[in-house]
Amino acid sequence: MRIRKELLKGSTAIMILKIISKEDAYGYQITQELYADSGETFKLNEGTLYPILHTLEKDGLIKSYSKISEQGRLRKYYSITPLGRVNLAAQIEEWRVFSRAVDAILKEN
Amino acid sequence: MDNSDFDIQKEIEAYAAHITHDIRPIKKRESIKSEFISHIEDAVYHYMISGLNEQDAFKRACDEIGDVEKIKRMLTIVHKKDKISTVLFPIIYCFALIIAFLPFILSSVKIDYILEQWINLISVVTAIALFCFTILKSYKYLRALFKRVSLIRKIKKICQQNNYCFSYDRNYYLSIFGKSSKHEMKIIGKEKTIYIKMFACLKRKDIYTLTSINSFFTSNNVNPIFVSYDYPSIGSVLKKESERKMYLPRFYQSRNNYVKEDSINPEVDAEIGADVINILCINPISAKIEVVRTNRAEEVFDGDEFKGYIVYSGNGLCDFLKRM
Protein backbone atom coordinates (compact mmCIF):
# COMPACT_ATOMS: atom_id res chain seq x y z
CA MET A 1 0.00 0.00 0.00
CA ARG A 2 1.36 3.38 -1.00
CA ILE A 3 1.38 5.91 1.82
CA ARG A 4 0.64 9.53 0.94
CA LYS A 5 3.56 11.92 1.30
CA GLU A 6 1.58 14.19 3.61
CA LEU A 7 1.22 11.38 6.14
CA LEU A 8 4.90 10.51 5.92
CA LYS A 9 6.15 14.07 6.11
CA GLY A 10 5.82 14.75 9.81
CA SER A 11 7.20 11.42 10.92
CA THR A 12 10.25 10.95 8.70
CA ALA A 13 12.69 12.68 11.04
CA ILE A 14 11.63 10.63 14.06
CA MET A 15 11.98 7.38 12.10
CA ILE A 16 15.43 8.36 10.84
CA LEU A 17 16.45 9.33 14.35
CA LYS A 18 15.21 5.98 15.64
CA ILE A 19 17.23 4.06 13.03
CA ILE A 20 20.37 6.01 13.88
CA SER A 21 19.77 5.46 17.60
CA LYS A 22 20.01 1.70 17.07
CA GLU A 23 23.42 1.89 15.44
CA ASP A 24 25.53 4.42 13.58
CA ALA A 25 24.47 4.42 9.95
CA TYR A 26 25.22 6.04 6.59
CA GLY A 27 22.70 7.47 4.16
CA TYR A 28 22.07 4.53 1.89
CA GLN A 29 21.88 2.17 4.85
CA ILE A 30 19.26 4.38 6.51
CA THR A 31 16.99 4.32 3.42
CA GLN A 32 17.32 0.54 3.19
CA GLU A 33 16.62 0.02 6.88
CA LEU A 34 13.67 2.36 6.80
CA TYR A 35 12.21 0.35 3.95
CA ALA A 36 12.92 -3.02 5.55
CA ASP A 37 11.91 -2.10 9.13
CA SER A 38 8.61 -0.65 7.94
CA GLY A 39 7.69 -3.93 6.30
CA GLU A 40 8.50 -2.42 2.88
CA THR A 41 5.90 0.29 3.40
CA PHE A 42 7.94 3.48 3.61
CA LYS A 43 9.91 4.11 0.45
CA LEU A 44 11.65 7.40 1.00
CA ASN A 45 12.79 9.49 -1.95
CA GLU A 46 16.44 8.90 -1.23
CA GLY A 47 17.59 12.40 -2.09
CA THR A 48 15.32 13.98 0.49
CA LEU A 49 17.04 12.02 3.23
CA TYR A 50 20.14 14.21 3.21
CA PRO A 51 18.46 17.57 3.86
CA ILE A 52 16.71 15.89 6.80
CA LEU A 53 19.98 14.43 8.10
CA HIS A 54 21.75 17.77 7.73
CA THR A 55 18.92 19.53 9.56
CA LEU A 56 19.12 17.02 12.41
CA GLU A 57 22.86 17.53 12.51
CA LYS A 58 22.49 21.30 12.64
CA ASP A 59 20.04 20.93 15.49
CA GLY A 60 22.61 18.90 17.37
CA LEU A 61 20.48 15.74 17.44
CA ILE A 62 22.97 13.71 15.42
CA LYS A 63 26.60 14.08 14.50
CA SER A 64 28.56 12.80 11.55
CA TYR A 65 31.98 11.32 11.08
CA SER A 66 33.83 9.59 8.28
CA LYS A 67 34.78 5.99 8.59
CA ILE A 68 35.89 3.17 6.34
CA SER A 69 33.04 0.75 5.99
CA GLU A 70 33.08 -3.03 6.01
CA GLN A 71 33.43 -2.90 2.26
CA GLY A 72 36.51 -0.76 2.62
CA ARG A 73 34.87 2.44 1.41
CA LEU A 74 35.02 5.79 3.12
CA ARG A 75 31.53 6.76 4.23
CA LYS A 76 29.91 9.46 6.25
CA TYR A 77 28.25 7.87 9.23
CA TYR A 78 25.70 9.48 11.48
CA SER A 79 25.37 8.82 15.19
CA ILE A 80 22.84 10.07 17.66
CA THR A 81 23.87 12.58 20.34
CA PRO A 82 22.66 12.57 23.98
CA LEU A 83 20.44 15.51 23.06
CA GLY A 84 19.10 13.46 20.15
CA ARG A 85 18.19 10.58 22.46
CA VAL A 86 16.28 12.88 24.77
CA ASN A 87 14.55 14.45 21.80
CA LEU A 88 13.73 11.05 20.31
CA ALA A 89 12.16 9.84 23.57
CA ALA A 90 10.02 12.97 23.73
CA GLN A 91 8.99 12.62 20.08
CA ILE A 92 8.09 8.94 20.52
CA GLU A 93 5.93 9.80 23.51
CA GLU A 94 4.28 12.59 21.55
CA TRP A 95 3.70 10.26 18.62
CA ARG A 96 2.09 7.61 20.87
CA VAL A 97 -0.33 10.12 22.33
CA PHE A 98 -1.15 11.35 18.83
CA SER A 99 -1.64 7.88 17.31
CA ARG A 100 -3.77 6.71 20.28
CA ALA A 101 -5.99 9.73 19.80
CA VAL A 102 -6.31 9.16 16.06
CA ASP A 103 -7.03 5.46 16.62
CA ALA A 104 -9.69 6.29 19.18
CA ILE A 105 -11.48 8.60 16.77
CA LEU A 106 -11.22 6.21 13.84
CA LYS A 107 -12.49 3.27 15.93
CA GLU A 108 -15.48 5.25 17.06
CA ASN A 109 -16.36 6.04 13.46
CA MET B 1 23.81 5.51 -26.16
CA ASP B 2 26.66 3.23 -27.04
CA ASN B 3 27.68 1.21 -23.99
CA SER B 4 31.37 1.82 -24.55
CA ASP B 5 30.81 5.61 -24.25
CA PHE B 6 29.13 5.31 -20.90
CA ASP B 7 31.47 6.20 -18.06
CA ILE B 8 29.54 5.41 -14.90
CA GLN B 9 31.86 7.27 -12.56
CA LYS B 10 31.68 10.45 -14.59
CA GLU B 11 27.91 10.17 -14.78
CA ILE B 12 27.61 9.71 -11.03
CA GLU B 13 29.91 12.63 -10.29
CA ALA B 14 28.08 14.86 -12.76
CA TYR B 15 24.74 13.95 -11.23
CA ALA B 16 25.97 14.58 -7.67
CA ALA B 17 27.55 17.85 -8.81
CA HIS B 18 24.23 18.94 -10.29
CA ILE B 19 22.34 18.22 -7.06
CA THR B 20 24.83 20.07 -4.89
CA HIS B 21 25.61 22.90 -7.28
CA ASP B 22 23.94 25.67 -5.26
CA ILE B 23 25.48 24.83 -1.90
CA ARG B 24 28.02 27.25 -0.47
CA PRO B 25 30.76 27.29 0.69
CA ILE B 26 32.59 25.04 -1.73
CA LYS B 27 34.14 22.94 1.04
CA LYS B 28 30.68 22.12 2.34
CA ARG B 29 29.45 21.43 -1.16
CA GLU B 30 32.29 19.00 -1.83
CA SER B 31 31.53 17.12 1.37
CA ILE B 32 27.84 16.77 0.50
CA LYS B 33 28.69 15.92 -3.08
CA SER B 34 30.90 13.03 -1.99
CA GLU B 35 28.08 11.85 0.27
CA PHE B 36 25.74 11.74 -2.71
CA ILE B 37 28.38 10.03 -4.86
CA SER B 38 28.79 7.38 -2.20
CA HIS B 39 25.02 6.93 -1.99
CA ILE B 40 24.55 6.58 -5.74
CA GLU B 41 27.51 4.22 -6.00
CA ASP B 42 25.93 2.04 -3.32
CA ALA B 43 22.63 2.04 -5.15
CA VAL B 44 24.25 1.30 -8.52
CA TYR B 45 26.24 -1.52 -6.99
CA HIS B 46 23.08 -2.90 -5.42
CA TYR B 47 21.17 -2.85 -8.71
CA MET B 48 24.08 -4.31 -10.63
CA ILE B 49 24.18 -7.22 -8.23
CA SER B 50 20.46 -7.62 -8.89
CA GLY B 51 21.29 -8.11 -12.55
CA LEU B 52 20.96 -4.71 -14.18
CA ASN B 53 23.64 -3.39 -16.46
CA GLU B 54 25.61 -0.22 -15.59
CA GLN B 55 23.37 2.17 -17.46
CA ASP B 56 20.10 0.76 -16.17
CA ALA B 57 21.47 0.55 -12.64
CA PHE B 58 22.53 4.18 -12.81
CA LYS B 59 19.15 5.25 -14.20
CA ARG B 60 17.33 3.34 -11.48
CA ALA B 61 19.55 4.84 -8.78
CA CYS B 62 18.82 8.34 -10.09
CA ASP B 63 15.10 7.63 -10.13
CA GLU B 64 15.29 6.58 -6.49
CA ILE B 65 16.98 9.84 -5.58
CA GLY B 66 13.78 11.67 -6.49
CA ASP B 67 13.02 15.18 -7.64
CA VAL B 68 16.42 16.82 -8.05
CA GLU B 69 15.13 20.40 -8.06
CA LYS B 70 13.23 19.79 -4.83
CA ILE B 71 16.32 18.30 -3.18
CA LYS B 72 18.40 21.25 -4.37
CA ARG B 73 15.93 23.65 -2.80
CA MET B 74 15.86 21.68 0.45
CA LEU B 75 19.64 21.56 0.66
CA THR B 76 19.93 25.27 -0.06
CA ILE B 77 17.49 26.04 2.74
CA VAL B 78 19.31 23.79 5.21
CA HIS B 79 22.68 25.33 4.42
CA LYS B 80 21.45 28.88 4.06
CA LYS B 81 23.13 30.04 7.27
CA ASP B 82 26.51 28.94 6.00
CA LYS B 83 25.90 30.86 2.82
CA ILE B 84 25.15 34.03 4.78
CA SER B 85 28.21 33.65 6.98
CA THR B 86 30.49 33.40 3.96
CA VAL B 87 29.01 36.63 2.62
CA LEU B 88 29.02 38.36 5.98
CA PHE B 89 32.62 37.64 6.80
CA PRO B 90 34.20 39.73 4.00
CA ILE B 91 31.67 42.50 4.66
CA ILE B 92 32.59 42.62 8.36
CA TYR B 93 36.27 42.49 7.46
CA CYS B 94 35.95 45.40 5.01
CA PHE B 95 33.88 47.36 7.53
CA ALA B 96 36.55 46.83 10.17
CA LEU B 97 39.22 48.01 7.72
CA ILE B 98 37.24 51.19 7.06
CA ILE B 99 36.91 51.82 10.81
CA ALA B 100 40.63 51.21 11.28
CA PHE B 101 41.43 53.85 8.66
CA LEU B 102 38.67 56.22 9.74
CA PRO B 103 40.99 58.87 11.25
CA PHE B 104 42.81 59.14 7.89
CA ILE B 105 39.53 59.28 5.98
CA LEU B 106 38.22 62.02 8.29
CA SER B 107 41.50 63.95 8.48
CA SER B 108 40.23 66.74 6.25
CA VAL B 109 36.95 67.03 8.14
CA LYS B 110 36.77 69.24 11.19
CA ILE B 111 35.12 67.40 14.07
CA ASP B 112 34.69 67.82 17.79
CA TYR B 113 37.84 67.02 19.84
CA ILE B 114 36.20 64.46 22.12
CA LEU B 115 34.56 62.72 19.16
CA GLU B 116 37.90 62.67 17.40
CA GLN B 117 39.51 61.04 20.43
CA TRP B 118 36.81 58.41 20.50
CA ILE B 119 37.21 57.72 16.78
CA ASN B 120 40.95 57.41 17.22
CA LEU B 121 40.51 55.00 20.11
CA ILE B 122 38.00 52.83 18.23
CA SER B 123 40.15 52.77 15.10
CA VAL B 124 43.27 51.78 17.07
CA VAL B 125 41.40 48.96 18.82
CA THR B 126 39.94 47.78 15.50
CA ALA B 127 43.33 47.98 13.79
CA ILE B 128 44.96 45.92 16.55
CA ALA B 129 42.16 43.32 16.37
CA LEU B 130 42.45 43.14 12.59
CA PHE B 131 46.21 42.81 12.78
CA CYS B 132 46.01 40.00 15.34
CA PHE B 133 43.33 38.20 13.36
CA THR B 134 45.31 38.41 10.11
CA ILE B 135 48.52 37.27 11.79
CA LEU B 136 46.72 34.35 13.45
CA LYS B 137 45.09 33.24 10.20
CA SER B 138 48.37 33.52 8.30
CA TYR B 139 50.19 31.61 11.02
CA LYS B 140 47.63 28.81 10.93
CA TYR B 141 47.80 28.60 7.15
CA LEU B 142 51.61 28.63 7.06
CA ARG B 143 51.77 26.07 9.86
CA ALA B 144 49.46 23.72 7.96
CA LEU B 145 51.51 24.26 4.82
CA PHE B 146 54.76 23.59 6.65
CA LYS B 147 53.33 20.47 8.25
CA ARG B 148 52.20 19.18 4.90
CA VAL B 149 55.54 19.80 3.24
CA SER B 150 57.52 18.27 6.10
CA LEU B 151 55.23 15.27 6.18
CA ILE B 152 55.66 14.69 2.48
CA ARG B 153 59.43 14.88 2.97
CA LYS B 154 59.23 12.45 5.85
CA ILE B 155 57.20 9.98 3.88
CA LYS B 156 59.49 10.36 0.91
CA LYS B 157 62.45 9.58 3.12
CA ILE B 158 60.76 6.50 4.53
CA CYS B 159 59.96 5.40 1.00
CA GLN B 160 63.54 5.83 -0.11
CA GLN B 161 64.82 3.88 2.89
CA ASN B 162 62.41 1.07 2.19
CA ASN B 163 62.83 1.16 -1.56
CA TYR B 164 59.23 2.09 -2.17
CA CYS B 165 57.99 3.92 -5.18
CA PHE B 166 56.80 7.32 -4.06
CA SER B 167 54.28 9.46 -5.84
CA TYR B 168 52.34 12.51 -4.89
CA ASP B 169 49.53 13.95 -6.90
CA ARG B 170 47.74 17.25 -6.85
CA ASN B 171 44.79 15.83 -4.95
CA TYR B 172 47.07 15.69 -1.93
CA TYR B 173 46.94 11.97 -1.79
CA LEU B 174 50.10 10.06 -1.39
CA SER B 175 50.71 6.67 -2.75
CA ILE B 176 53.46 4.39 -1.73
CA PHE B 177 53.95 1.02 -3.27
CA GLY B 178 56.19 -1.63 -1.95
CA LYS B 179 56.45 -5.31 -2.36
CA SER B 180 58.88 -6.99 -0.04
CA SER B 181 58.61 -5.29 3.33
CA LYS B 182 59.19 -7.49 6.35
CA HIS B 183 57.33 -5.11 8.60
CA GLU B 184 53.85 -6.24 9.02
CA MET B 185 51.04 -6.59 11.44
CA LYS B 186 48.27 -9.09 11.28
CA ILE B 187 44.90 -7.99 12.52
CA ILE B 188 42.25 -10.61 12.90
CA GLY B 189 38.87 -9.00 12.47
CA LYS B 190 35.50 -10.54 13.06
CA GLU B 191 35.08 -11.50 9.44
CA LYS B 192 38.38 -10.97 7.75
CA THR B 193 42.06 -11.17 8.37
CA ILE B 194 44.01 -8.14 7.37
CA TYR B 195 47.72 -7.90 6.87
CA ILE B 196 49.09 -4.43 7.22
CA LYS B 197 52.53 -3.77 5.94
CA MET B 198 52.90 -0.08 6.57
CA PHE B 199 50.40 2.51 7.45
CA ALA B 200 49.71 6.09 8.26
CA CYS B 201 47.30 7.53 10.74
CA LEU B 202 45.03 10.47 10.60
CA LYS B 203 44.71 12.07 13.99
CA ARG B 204 41.31 13.41 14.90
CA LYS B 205 41.16 14.60 18.44
CA ASP B 206 42.43 11.58 20.37
CA ILE B 207 41.49 9.04 17.80
CA TYR B 208 43.94 7.68 15.30
CA THR B 209 42.24 6.30 12.25
CA LEU B 210 43.89 4.50 9.46
CA THR B 211 43.07 6.57 6.45
CA SER B 212 44.53 4.02 4.23
CA ILE B 213 45.59 0.53 4.84
CA ASN B 214 47.99 -1.11 2.52
CA SER B 215 45.99 -4.12 3.22
CA PHE B 216 44.45 -6.91 1.42
CA PHE B 217 41.73 -9.10 2.62
CA THR B 218 42.96 -12.57 2.47
CA SER B 219 42.28 -16.03 3.55
CA ASN B 220 44.51 -17.26 6.35
CA ASN B 221 47.13 -18.58 3.96
CA VAL B 222 47.85 -15.15 2.48
CA ASN B 223 46.40 -15.35 -0.93
CA PRO B 224 45.43 -11.88 -2.07
CA ILE B 225 42.35 -11.55 -4.19
CA PHE B 226 42.60 -7.97 -5.22
CA VAL B 227 43.98 -4.83 -3.76
CA SER B 228 42.13 -1.64 -4.33
CA TYR B 229 43.95 1.57 -4.69
CA ASP B 230 43.76 5.32 -4.32
CA TYR B 231 40.09 5.82 -3.84
CA PRO B 232 39.05 7.49 -0.61
CA SER B 233 37.86 4.09 0.35
CA ILE B 234 40.78 1.79 0.42
CA GLY B 235 40.94 -1.91 0.66
CA SER B 236 37.90 -3.16 -1.17
CA VAL B 237 37.84 -6.57 -2.59
CA LEU B 238 36.70 -6.02 -6.12
CA LYS B 239 36.66 -9.04 -8.32
CA LYS B 240 34.99 -7.83 -11.48
CA GLU B 241 36.63 -5.49 -13.95
CA SER B 242 33.47 -3.35 -14.01
CA GLU B 243 33.54 -3.00 -10.21
CA ARG B 244 37.14 -1.94 -10.27
CA LYS B 245 36.47 0.66 -12.91
CA MET B 246 33.55 1.93 -10.94
CA TYR B 247 35.23 2.16 -7.58
CA LEU B 248 38.75 2.93 -8.58
CA PRO B 249 38.44 5.79 -11.04
CA ARG B 250 41.56 7.52 -9.88
CA PHE B 251 43.55 4.39 -10.40
CA TYR B 252 42.28 4.03 -13.90
CA GLN B 253 42.79 7.71 -14.58
CA SER B 254 46.25 7.94 -13.14
CA ARG B 255 47.74 4.53 -13.71
CA ASN B 256 49.74 5.92 -16.60
CA ASN B 257 51.57 8.11 -14.12
CA TYR B 258 53.13 5.04 -12.57
CA VAL B 259 55.21 3.67 -15.36
CA LYS B 260 58.54 3.53 -13.60
CA GLU B 261 60.28 0.19 -13.75
CA ASP B 262 60.13 -0.34 -10.03
CA SER B 263 56.51 0.65 -9.69
CA ILE B 264 53.90 -1.95 -9.08
CA ASN B 265 50.59 -2.41 -10.67
CA PRO B 266 48.55 -3.71 -7.77
CA GLU B 267 45.89 -5.15 -9.97
CA VAL B 268 48.24 -7.15 -12.15
CA ASP B 269 50.44 -8.22 -9.26
CA ALA B 270 47.48 -9.38 -7.26
CA GLU B 271 46.22 -11.35 -10.19
CA ILE B 272 49.50 -13.12 -10.77
CA GLY B 273 49.58 -14.06 -7.08
CA ALA B 274 52.02 -11.69 -5.47
CA ASP B 275 52.24 -12.27 -1.77
CA VAL B 276 52.61 -8.73 -0.60
CA ILE B 277 51.57 -5.45 -2.10
CA ASN B 278 51.71 -2.27 -0.14
CA ILE B 279 49.45 0.59 -0.83
CA LEU B 280 49.31 3.66 1.28
CA CYS B 281 47.18 6.70 0.70
CA ILE B 282 46.90 9.43 3.19
CA ASN B 283 45.71 12.94 3.34
CA PRO B 284 48.89 14.64 4.45
CA ILE B 285 47.34 17.85 5.66
CA SER B 286 46.61 16.63 9.14
CA ALA B 287 48.16 13.21 9.08
CA LYS B 288 50.66 11.68 11.38
CA ILE B 289 52.95 8.98 10.15
CA GLU B 290 53.32 5.82 12.17
CA VAL B 291 55.39 3.10 10.67
CA VAL B 292 55.16 -0.28 12.25
CA ARG B 293 58.40 -2.15 12.17
CA THR B 294 58.41 -5.70 13.31
CA ASN B 295 60.42 -8.61 12.10
CA ARG B 296 57.57 -10.99 12.41
CA ALA B 297 53.88 -10.82 11.97
CA GLU B 298 52.16 -9.95 15.20
CA GLU B 299 48.68 -11.01 15.96
CA VAL B 300 46.60 -8.26 17.43
CA PHE B 301 43.10 -8.72 18.69
CA ASP B 302 40.43 -6.25 19.63
CA GLY B 303 41.39 -4.36 22.76
CA ASP B 304 45.05 -5.40 22.67
CA GLU B 305 47.75 -2.89 23.22
CA PHE B 306 50.07 -2.51 20.30
CA LYS B 307 52.89 0.01 20.07
CA GLY B 308 51.33 2.08 22.80
CA TYR B 309 47.90 2.09 21.20
CA ILE B 310 44.74 0.22 21.91
CA VAL B 311 43.71 -1.64 18.80
CA TYR B 312 40.27 -2.58 17.78
CA SER B 313 39.43 -4.07 14.48
CA GLY B 314 35.70 -4.58 14.30
CA ASN B 315 34.31 -5.26 10.85
CA GLY B 316 37.70 -5.32 9.26
CA LEU B 317 38.46 -1.75 10.21
CA CYS B 318 41.50 -0.75 12.11
CA ASP B 319 41.20 2.19 14.42
CA PHE B 320 43.80 3.11 16.93
CA LEU B 321 42.84 4.85 20.10
CA LYS B 322 45.56 6.76 21.78
CA ARG B 323 46.11 5.47 25.26
CA MET B 324 44.70 7.99 27.67
Side-chain angles (χ1 to χ4, degrees):
Chain A
M1 186 184 174
R2 191 162 177 84
I3 306 292
R4 281 186 297 124
K5 276 180 190 172
E6 289 74 18
L7 279 177
L8 196 58
K9 218 171 189 175
S11 50
T12 314
I14 185 179
M15 289 192 288
I16 290 171
L17 212 51
K18 179 69 187 172
I19 287 167
I20 297 171
S21 75
K22 286 190 275 186
E23 62 166 340
D24 296 0
Y26 54 91
Y28 187 73
Q29 184 187 350
I30 293 169
T31 59
Q32 298 304 302
E33 282 186 22
L34 187 67
Y35 186 60
D37 291 357
S38 65
E40 303 186 354
T41 305
F42 298 143
K43 185 81 181 135
L44 191 70
N45 268 344
E46 292 174 8
T48 57
L49 170 76
Y50 292 99
I52 297 168
L53 283 173
H54 297 167
T55 307
L56 290 172
E57 193 177 12
K58 279 206 159 183
D59 294 344
L61 304 181
I62 57 172
K63 59 183 177 181
S64 65
Y65 61 95
S66 296
K67 191 173 118 179
I68 300 175
S69 70
E70 283 174 50
Q71 290 77 32
R73 303 181 55 207
L74 189 73
R75 286 199 173 103
K76 193 172 174 184
Y77 279 77
Y78 292 91
S79 65
I80 194 162
T81 62
L83 178 67
R85 286 198 188 279
V86 173
N87 192 286
L88 176 65
Q91 281 196 60
I92 290 172
E93 186 53 36
E94 192 182 19
W95 177 260
R96 285 194 178 133
V97 171
F98 174 77
S99 64
R100 269 200 300 268
V102 173
D103 280 347
I105 291 169
L106 295 181
K107 264 182 199 168
E108 218 172 2
N109 287 342
Chain B
M1 191 192 287
D2 183 10
N3 277 349
S4 59
D5 292 338
F6 186 76
D7 185 338
I8 184 88
Q9 199 58 42
K10 272 187 185 171
E11 295 289 335
I12 290 172
E13 284 187 14
Y15 190 75
H18 176 59
I19 295 173
T20 56
H21 182 263
D22 297 337
I23 298 169
R24 299 285 188 283
I26 292 169
K27 200 177 167 186
K28 190 95 178 175
R29 185 202 304 163
E30 287 303 313
S31 160
I32 298 168
K33 184 181 152 188
S34 58
E35 199 174 16
F36 269 99
I37 288 174
S38 179
H39 183 107
I40 301 165
E41 282 176 350
D42 277 332
V44 167
Y45 183 66
H46 174 82
Y47 292 127
M48 282 176 74
I49 285 175
S50 313
L52 294 182
N53 62 36
E54 270 188 350
Q55 273 171 295
D56 290 341
F58 174 67
K59 195 175 175 302
R60 180 88 184 267
C62 293
D63 289 343
E64 296 293 344
I65 288 286
D67 183 352
V68 173
E69 293 307 316
K70 187 184 167 191
I71 297 158
K72 278 172 87 170
R73 278 198 301 278
M74 288 170 81
L75 284 171
T76 311
I77 290 166
V78 173
H79 298 286
K80 204 175 180 179
K81 278 181 187 170
D82 295 339
K83 198 175 175 179
I84 290 168
S85 68
T86 55
V87 175
L88 273 181
F89 176 74
I91 292 171
I92 292 168
Y93 197 87
C94 291
F95 185 66
L97 264 178
I98 291 167
I99 291 174
F101 285 96
L102 206 56
F104 299 101
I105 296 165
L106 297 174
S107 60
S108 56
V109 184
K110 200 175 179 183
I111 49 173
D112 180 59
Y113 177 75
I114 297 170
L115 182 64
E116 192 184 345
Q117 290 303 309
W118 272 108
I119 290 172
N120 284 344
L121 182 68
I122 291 168
S123 68
V124 166
V125 170
T126 313
I128 291 169
L130 264 181
F131 178 75
C132 292
F133 177 78
T134 311
I135 291 290
L136 190 73
K137 278 277 169 191
S138 308
Y139 168 72
K140 275 187 179 173
Y141 176 77
L142 288 173
R143 196 162 154 248
L145 193 70
F146 176 76
K147 261 182 148 180
R148 200 174 79 193
V149 171
S150 59
L151 188 75
I152 291 163
R153 277 192 193 150
K154 196 173 175 182
I155 294 169
K156 199 171 180 180
K157 201 174 164 188
I158 292 166
C159 292
Q160 283 166 351
Q161 283 169 355
N162 289 282
N163 202 22
Y164 290 126
C165 167
F166 173 84
S167 67
Y168 172 60
D169 72 23
R170 62 195 165 88
N171 293 323
Y172 306 129
Y173 281 95
L174 285 164
S175 303
I176 300 170
F177 300 7
K179 198 176 178 183
S180 57
S181 170
K182 288 177 182 172
H183 316 308
E184 69 174 24
M185 184 171 72
K186 181 180 176 186
I187 292 184
I188 300 175
K190 284 174 187 166
E191 295 169 0
K192 291 163 184 167
T193 299
I194 301 170
Y195 290 83
I196 294 177
K197 301 299 292 181
M198 184 175 171
F199 62 90
C201 296
L202 177 71
K203 188 184 178 189
R204 269 196 204 125
K205 293 178 182 170
D206 288 319
I207 297 172
Y208 288 82
T209 309
L210 284 174
T211 54
S212 160
I213 42 177
N214 41 35
S215 66
F216 36 92
F217 303 123
T218 68
S219 63
N220 282 334
N221 57 358
V222 193
N223 179 24
I225 301 162
F226 178 74
V227 188
S228 76
Y229 158 79
D230 204 4
Y231 192 62
S233 54
I234 311 294
S236 309
V237 179
L238 305 171
K239 290 178 186 172
K240 290 179 188 171
E241 178 77 9
S242 59
E243 286 177 341
R244 290 173 201 167
K245 279 188 173 169
M246 190 162 85
Y247 286 109
L248 309 173
R250 287 187 194 158
F251 170 68
Y252 280 93
Q253 280 162 18
S254 60
R255 62 191 301 177
N256 292 333
N257 296 337
Y258 306 107
V259 290
K260 290 179 188 174
E261 272 182 31
D262 58 346
S263 71
I264 290 164
N265 181 334
E267 183 187 359
V268 172
D269 281 346
E271 282 177 350
I272 62 172
D275 279 343
V276 175
I277 296 169
N278 281 340
I279 296 178
L280 172 73
C281 288
I282 64 165
N283 180 349
I285 294 166
S286 56
K288 180 186 174 187
I289 256 285
E290 289 283 333
V291 181
V292 176
R293 291 167 183 273
T294 58
N295 290 324
R296 60 188 174 82
E298 287 192 26
E299 289 190 359
V300 183
F301 296 91
D302 276 6
D304 282 359
E305 187 188 343
F306 183 80
K307 300 280 175 188
Y309 298 103
I310 298 293
V311 175
Y312 62 94
S313 57
N315 297 324
L317 303 171
C318 312
D319 291 352
F320 289 72
L321 279 178
K322 193 178 180 185
R323 216 180 210 324
M324 299 300 288

